[in-house]
Amino acid sequence: MPGLLSRRLLFVTGKGGVGKTTIAAALAKLSASLGRRTLLCEVDARGDVATCLGSGPSGYRPAEVASSLWVMSMDTEAALRDYIRLFVRVPLAARLGPVASALDFISTAAPGVTEILVMGKVCWEVREGGWDVVVVDAPASGHVVSQLASPTSMGELVGVGMIRQQTDWMVEMLSDTRRTGAVVVTTPDEMAVQETLELVGRIGSETVVPVASVVANRVLPELFGRGEEEVFGSLSETGPASRLSGALGSDVAPLFDAARLAVQLRRSSVSHLSRLRTGLPGSLAPLNVPNVFVSDRPSCVTDDVSTALAAELGI
Ligand SMILES: Nc1ncnc2c1ncn2[C@@H]1O[C@H](COP(=O)(O)OP(=O)(O)OP(=O)(O)O)[C@@H](O)[C@H]1O
Ligand SMILES: [Mg+2]
């Protein structure tokens, strides 16, 4: 089993909009295609996982959407209900009244409770759910660190007793390099690379979760091979370009402009990718996923991204 997918719990995160949900869905599909019982968990429950998979809307109870692939959406109120059912004595649970207002009350009194409920549910699925792999479409850079750190923070806050026992096993699971990992997704542009390097540093220093991989998503292809750029240069000079336009009966200048722009974008992305590589610890060579030009159907993008990841992982 290739390194990344041999782990049982993967948190996919990164800057907003870089392709976290797509990479999470693609990894989950890849894992399922290897015959492993895979659960893909959407933390923010916006329905983007369903869009990326081309499946129906998902709920809190895992639903099978393809062979070996299940999907669930996090619901902190339902997670609290689960928690009460599993761990709290019935009379106390009854006294809590409606769970929604209890959750409101608790999370106002102690920030971080919602986060720990999410982490508790995810870790519980890994331990008890019978999954081979749980892939979490986790929050973006701004929120993921406190999310991943919540069991440790809670454990430090509550020195002994039932809650401490429950955070201890979560911390043990989250810190186990063989079982758990964060996958940080980026795009090859300056802001995303900067945010990625900071995020990798923060996950390392503020959480126990090991960073398993960095994915450079939407990498542009090299447009011209050796020699082709010279041909392109000659063709786009005024004389040849206007003869071409004349022969075709339409202006080719916008096409040359578009090609020049693509070359420039590719060049600048190469320098950002090299900054990414040099800024990361040596053990974290980024996986490259190309920009997919297939169609505007996100589920087709996910399929192509999954194939690209398989090639990068040597599957
Ligand atoms: N490799 C790719 N090639 C082409 N399009 C892609 C690629 N990866 C992602 N996309 C597209 O980019 C858009 C954003 O992707 P996605 O929703 O996965 O990002 P995200 O990081 O989860 O965003 P958010 O921060 O809003 O949750 C989607 O339309 C998706 O289809
Ligand atoms: Mg998303």
Side-chain angles (χ1 to χ4, degrees):
M1 189 56 56
L4 187 58
L5 288 176
S6 65
R7 307 201 195 203
R8 296 193 54 212
L9 175 55
L10 291 173
F11 294 95
V12 182
T13 179
K15 185 174 179 290
V18 291
K20 297 178 295 297
T21 307
T22 305
I23 297 293
L27 278 173
K29 272 196 115 164
L30 188 55
S31 160
S33 75
L34 300 170
R36 312 189 78 210
R37 274 175 63 87
T38 305
L39 174 66
L40 174 57
C41 171
E42 179 171 39
V43 164
D44 69 7
R46 283 189 316 203
D48 292 350
V49 159
T51 311
C52 283
L53 289 174
S55 59
S58 53
Y60 183 68
R61 301 278 159 234
E64 192 170 10
V65 295
S67 174
S68 299
L69 178 60
W70 280 258
V71 171
M72 67 163 285
S73 289
M74 188 53 72
D75 172 348
T76 37
E77 203 182 308
L80 179 61
R81 216 174 269 127
D82 268 359
Y83 179 83
I84 292 170
R85 189 171 45 79
L86 287 169
F87 298 109
V88 180
R89 301 257 170 273
V90 176
L92 175 57
R95 261 189 284 140
L96 274 175
V99 159
S101 49
L103 182 59
D104 266 2
F105 172 75
I106 299 169
S107 35
T108 317
V113 164
T114 330
E115 282 145 332
I116 197 135
L117 282 170
V118 170
M119 293 302 279
K121 171 67 178 170
V122 165
C123 290
W124 190 86
E125 287 294 340
V126 175
R127 198 177 71 166
E128 309 285 341
W131 312 107
D132 294 316
V133 182
V134 175
V135 180
V136 183
D137 180 19
S141 319
H143 289 112
V144 74
V145 174
S146 56
Q147 175 94 73
L148 296 180
S150 59
T152 320
S153 321
M154 187 62 81
E156 281 162 5
L157 204 67
V158 187
V160 287
M162 186 180 81
I163 293 200
R164 178 60 198 251
Q165 280 163 23
Q166 285 158 16
T167 55
D168 279 354
W169 71 263
M170 285 162 65
V171 171
E172 195 191 318
M173 176 185 291
L174 292 172
S175 57
D176 184 346
T177 317
R178 285 161 309 148
R179 270 195 294 182
T180 304
V183 176
V184 181
V185 184
T186 185
T187 42
D189 60 87
E190 192 174 357
M191 297 284 284
V193 165
Q194 179 61 30
E195 199 168 312
T196 302
L197 294 175
E198 284 167 15
L199 179 59
V200 168
R202 286 192 64 199
I203 294 177
S205 60
E206 295 175 40
T207 83
V208 293
V209 177
V211 177
S213 188
V214 171
V215 177
N217 187 29
R218 309 198 75 163
V219 175
L220 292 168
E222 185 63 80
L223 208 54
F224 297 126
R226 229 180 249 160
E228 285 167 359
E229 196 161 0
E230 265 174 47
V231 177
F232 173 76
S234 323
L235 271 179
S236 57
E237 278 166 17
T238 325
S242 64
R243 282 202 293 284
L244 258 179
S245 298
L248 292 170
S250 64
D251 188 12
V252 294
L255 284 182
F256 285 128
D257 288 346
R260 259 185 230 106
L261 177 65
V263 169
Q264 266 171 22
L265 285 174
R266 159 78 195 181
R267 293 228 168 105
S268 73
S269 75
V270 167
S271 72
H272 299 312
L273 282 177
S274 121
R275 169 137 191 274
L276 177 68
R277 264 191 303 275
T278 49
L280 288 172
S283 54
L284 276 180
L287 302 173
N288 283 330
V289 171
N291 193 76
V292 170
F293 295 100
V294 273
S295 74
D296 51 9
R297 287 235 326 268
S299 60
C300 299
V301 173
T302 307
D303 287 342
D304 280 27
V305 168
S306 196
T307 309
L309 277 172
E312 283 288 276
L313 293 168
I315 297 172

